[in-house]
Amino acid sequence: MSHTAPIVKAMPTFSREEIVHLGDLARIALTDEEITRLQGELNVIADSINKVQEVASDDVPPTANPVPLEAYLRPDVAVTPLTQEEALSGAPKTEAGMFVAPRILGSEE
């Protein structure tokens, strides 16, 4: 049983008329320069798809990402949290059990 999608024979190149039609379908007004640029870009994409399809075979399994995606997380082990005093011990200035930081927004009037 094959795991690959059926190979589509050479994709056609996109004509100017097809680009204009796609713009109309998307309700996008395209200038002549945009049509020319998009025609080139879409044809490069179509050529790239053709190249991939040429080398795709039944012994190459389909994949969305060539690198296995795994979550590398440390084990979730419960530990005793710091006490308030331990958390504040390295602070340059504290007051009433809280960190004290300099005012950064100016005076309130």
Side-chain angles (χ1 to χ4, degrees), residues 46-66:
D47 289 341
S48 298
I49 291 170
N50 287 334
K51 287 177 186 172
V52 169
Q53 289 179 340
E54 288 173 9
V55 297
S57 63
D58 288 343
D59 63 335
V60 179
T63 182
N65 193 327

Side-chain angles (χ1 to χ4, degrees), residues 84-104:
Q84 186 175 14
E85 293 78 27
E86 290 171 330
L88 294 172
S89 67
K93 190 172 180 185
T94 63
E95 183 179 304
M98 295 179 280
F99 295 100
V100 175
R103 181 178 296 232
I104 60 170

Side-chain angles (χ1 to χ4, degrees), residues 19-71:
I19 303 300
V20 170
H21 179 66
L22 289 173
D24 290 342
L25 290 174
R27 307 270 191 252
I28 299 172
L30 297 171
T31 65
D32 285 338
E33 294 82 20
E34 291 170 326
I35 293 169
T36 301
R37 182 176 50 82
L38 286 171
Q39 184 179 14
E41 290 174 1
L42 289 174
N43 287 328
V44 167
I45 292 169
D47 289 341
S48 298
I49 291 170
N50 287 334
K51 287 177 186 172
V52 169
Q53 289 179 340
E54 288 173 9
V55 297
S57 63
D58 288 343
D59 63 335
V60 179
T63 182
N65 193 327
V67 179
L69 298 177
E70 298 178 26

